[in-house]
Amino acid sequence: MKNTNEMEIRFDSKSVNEGFARVAVASFMTQLNPTVEEVADVKTAVSEAVTNSIIHGYENEIHKVSIRCRIEDNVFTVEVCDKGRGIENIEEAMRPMFTTKPEQDRSGMGFAFMEAFMDTVEVESEPGKGTKVKMKKTVGKGREIWTTQSL
Amino acid sequence: MKYQVQEKCLTIYLPREVDHHNAEEMKREADAVIDRNHIKYVIFDFEKTDFMDSSGIGVIMGRYKTICLIGGEIWAVHANARIRKILTLSGAAKIMQIYDEEDKV
């Protein structure tokens, strides 16, 4: 029997909610007993995905962003969804330093950060329909060495 | 934005969290101060900062573009391990001087 838990939040695509989103996800995650580093990794990744939805998905118009989190044993999954303009070329969008908004001083590091801080990052997107970023991270990797005796 | 200007040097005291939400205002204010005071050196002080995402990198990179045109430099001080990781990972560490806690300038 797997230990599972889920939560969902939905909020306006206002930049003030970026802080709320990452703190909400981080506090849901605490039941996995993560390290400070693991929490910081997830917070950064969530912040990047939510910022993308706000600036690129909705281009600063106010609509809804939703986040779904799932815990399955020690695997933490977080999905950030918007119903915005979508991404035409996902591969290009995920390339480090690529940005469609260089004039706004966007660094183009959003997806690179998500990939660096999470174990897997999957992007589903359709132009005009929206984008879903699904990220996974195994929490407490390597910690079992200390708590169990393996053969 | 909290900042201090000494001659041609601007120190920006970054907030606790640097994200897209507060990056916009920081960019605007910093650019105005840089322009007005003929700033050549920008110091980002991370003393209070425990969170930064790629929007913060955008702030640094954007200011670097302006400052390097006039032969200036950008520095980071009081950056904790997390912030340093973000700076390194993004490549920002290559264009700026990062000072550790111990070796005060």
Side-chain angles (χ1 to χ4, degrees), chain B residues 2-105:
Chain B
K2 275 166 76 182
Y3 66 90
Q4 194 180 9
V5 177
Q6 281 170 306
E7 308 234 355
K8 287 180 175 203
C9 178
L10 164 68
T11 307
I12 300 176
Y13 300 96
L14 295 158
R16 198 174 65 80
E17 303 201 306
V18 183
D19 62 5
H20 159 241
H21 179 60
N22 49 31
E24 298 302 313
E25 190 193 324
M26 261 161 43
K27 280 186 226 171
R28 242 191 342 264
E29 282 189 52
D31 284 345
V33 176
I34 290 170
D35 203 42
R36 196 169 350 123
N37 299 283
H38 311 286
I39 297 296
K40 207 175 167 189
Y41 303 97
V42 178
I43 301 173
F44 290 94
D45 190 326
F46 289 95
E47 173 128 49
K48 295 215 161 42
T49 311
D50 55 28
F51 179 88
M52 180 168 78
D53 66 13
S54 71
S55 303
I57 299 300
V59 176
I60 295 171
M61 296 294 201
R63 277 0 87 200
Y64 173 71
K65 277 188 215 152
T66 324
I67 292 295
C68 81
L69 284 179
I70 53 161
E73 282 174 19
I74 55 170
W75 296 343
V77 295
H78 300 131
N80 67 23
R82 181 72 196 175
I83 302 294
R84 250 178 282 160
K85 190 173 174 181
I86 300 271
L87 293 173
T88 310
L89 207 70
S90 63
K94 289 186 196 139
I95 55 150
M96 68 199 306
Q97 309 258 18
I98 301 173
Y99 285 96
D100 286 323
E101 300 281 316
E102 305 85 59
D103 40 65
K104 289 241 163 63
V105 199

Side-chain angles (χ1 to χ4, degrees), chain A:
Chain A
M1 191 48 192
K2 279 194 170 176
N3 174 29
T4 65
N5 196 3
E6 286 185 9
M7 78 97 164
E8 236 179 295
I9 48 173
R10 199 156 166 270
F11 51 89
D12 280 346
S13 56
K14 294 179 177 169
S15 66
V16 67
N17 286 333
E18 290 159 6
F20 159 73
R22 58 176 179 263
V23 170
V25 171
S27 61
F28 182 71
M29 184 195 180
T30 53
Q31 57 195 290
L32 283 171
N33 197 19
T35 61
V36 176
E37 187 78 6
E38 285 163 340
V39 175
D41 288 351
V42 169
K43 276 173 86 172
T44 309
V46 168
S47 195
E48 300 296 349
V50 172
T51 304
N52 277 350
S53 289
I54 293 175
I55 342 187
H56 301 289
Y58 292 130
E59 299 186 294
N60 296 313
E61 286 176 19
I62 308 301
H63 300 286
K64 305 288 180 197
V65 178
S66 54
I67 298 184
R68 193 179 303 146
C69 294
R70 185 176 162 83
I71 289 170
E72 211 175 301
D73 291 333
N74 63 343
V75 180
F76 187 70
T77 308
V78 51
E79 288 176 17
V80 179
C81 308
D82 67 67
K83 295 196 168 21
R85 65 183 300 227
I87 305 169
E88 263 152 48
N89 186 338
I90 297 176
E91 204 185 313
E92 185 181 57
M94 291 181 77
R95 198 185 309 146
M97 313 297 275
F98 176 85
T99 177
T100 50
K101 295 189 170 25
E103 75 286 355
Q104 287 179 25
D105 280 345
R106 306 305 314 164
S107 62
M109 298 302 295
F111 277 119
F113 275 17
M114 290 182 233
E115 288 185 310
F117 293 129
M118 302 296 281
D119 295 343
T120 62
V121 179
E122 287 168 35
V123 183
E124 282 171 36
S125 188
E126 205 180 316
K129 292 264 174 66
T131 303
K132 177 159 103 178
V133 178
K134 185 176 180 180
M135 302 180 278
K136 280 189 188 192
K137 190 177 182 70
T138 306
V139 175
K141 253 183 293 183
R143 228 178 312 162
E144 59 268 52
I145 302 168
W146 301 93
T147 51
T148 58
Q149 267 199 322
S150 63
L151 230 181

